[in-house]
Amino acid sequence: MKKAQVADIYLRLAELNPEPVGELEWVNPYTLLVAVALSAQATDVSVNLATRKLFAVAQTPEQMLALGEAGIREHIKTIGLFNTKAKNLILMAQQLIERHGGEVPTERSALEELAGVGRKTANVVLNIAFGTPTIAVDTHVFRVANRTGMAPGKTPLAVELKLEKVTPPMFMRHAHHWLILHGRYICKARAPECWRCPIVDLCGFRGKKLVPPKSRTAQGDGQAR
């Protein structure tokens, strides 16, 4: 896909949603870090349900340590891999206190050294909490980048680096938010809803479905929304 087409995609997504926001709930950079780490192999909805009560009692590394691993488990037991994640949150809190004075670091390398934090989590925190123009590649971004032809790649890192090259600077701040939301609600994994896609004419996907399923048509779900 040519850079001009990529720019047009972002322009259209920006017109529909000028200031996109992440769907995870957070209070400060630390709680955002925790929420993103918990979201691995879990939905944002399930994470929010758990963290509303967790963040009511623990909004700092010190408070998380005071809660203890058992206390954390009790709050996040509805989330996948909660045992491992509870252990990681304890170790992460210790690392933040010992290495960074209880503050969330603003460098990707320092973030990736924390327990339970990978490149995607680091990029999300840098982008949302600190305004750094990073592109976090989750399953939605990976799918949209490959399916549309914007930035095809075999790995999340390959897609991230290609997106950084083709994304105009003016769109970098919100790029991954637009792509995540597009993949979550329109360019879905099993059944992309091409008939209501705002970038369908720019997309390189060969299997486009320009007519909604009959069941949707009968229920009126095929209307753009």
Side-chain angles (χ1 to χ4, degrees):
M1 184 179 290
K2 296 180 180 179
K3 285 189 176 182
Q5 291 175 290
V6 174
D8 283 344
I9 285 177
Y10 284 122
L11 183 61
R12 292 185 191 181
L13 296 178
E15 288 176 344
L16 292 171
N17 189 359
E19 294 291 331
V21 295
E23 296 185 327
L24 287 173
E25 298 173 3
W26 56 288
V27 180
N28 54 34
Y30 173 65
T31 55
L32 174 64
L33 175 62
V34 170
V36 179
L38 290 175
S39 71
Q41 298 184 39
T43 66
D44 288 359
V45 172
S46 67
V47 172
N48 288 338
L49 287 174
T51 57
R52 283 168 194 161
K53 293 183 178 180
L54 175 62
F55 294 160
V57 295
Q59 296 183 9
T60 67
E62 293 81 2
Q63 291 172 339
M64 195 68 73
L65 279 181
L67 192 58
E69 187 177 323
I72 295 173
R73 276 202 309 269
E74 188 61 27
H75 281 89
I76 67 170
K77 62 184 178 182
T78 56
I79 301 175
L81 305 176
F82 68 92
N83 282 316
T84 298
K85 291 176 179 179
K87 292 179 181 179
N88 282 338
L89 289 186
I90 288 293
L91 181 54
M92 178 198 294
Q94 293 172 337
Q95 292 169 329
L96 286 172
I97 293 170
E98 295 170 1
R99 302 175 187 177
H100 305 286
E103 299 295 323
V104 176
T106 58
E107 301 80 27
R108 182 191 284 125
S109 58
L111 283 166
E112 289 188 76
E113 291 176 353
L114 299 173
V117 178
R119 188 179 181 90
K120 186 203 76 173
T121 296
N123 279 338
V124 172
V125 172
L126 290 173
N127 183 277
I128 297 178
F130 304 115
T132 307
T134 59
I135 296 180
V137 178
D138 68 352
T139 56
H140 299 299
V141 175
F142 187 81
R143 178 174 65 257
V144 171
N146 276 283
R147 183 180 278 168
T148 61
M150 290 179 67
K154 294 184 178 180
T155 66
L157 180 58
V159 168
E160 177 187 334
L161 296 178
K162 285 188 178 181
L163 282 173
E164 287 180 346
K165 288 183 179 180
V166 301
T167 301
M170 66 182 294
F171 296 123
M172 277 291 294
R173 176 70 175 83
H174 294 310
H176 87 269
H177 280 117
W178 284 315
L179 298 179
I180 286 173
L181 295 173
H182 187 67
R184 181 173 292 164
Y185 296 111
I186 295 179
C187 195
K188 301 175 182 179
R190 294 185 179 180
E193 299 181 1
C194 306
W195 63 88
R196 67 184 191 92
C197 175
I199 61 169
V200 65
D201 58 312
L202 300 170
C203 174
F205 182 46
R206 294 183 178 181
K208 295 176 185 175
K209 298 180 180 179
L210 302 179
V211 178
K214 291 183 179 180
S215 60
R216 287 184 177 272
T217 302
Q219 297 172 6
D221 288 345
Q223 301 298 318
R225 56 185 186 272

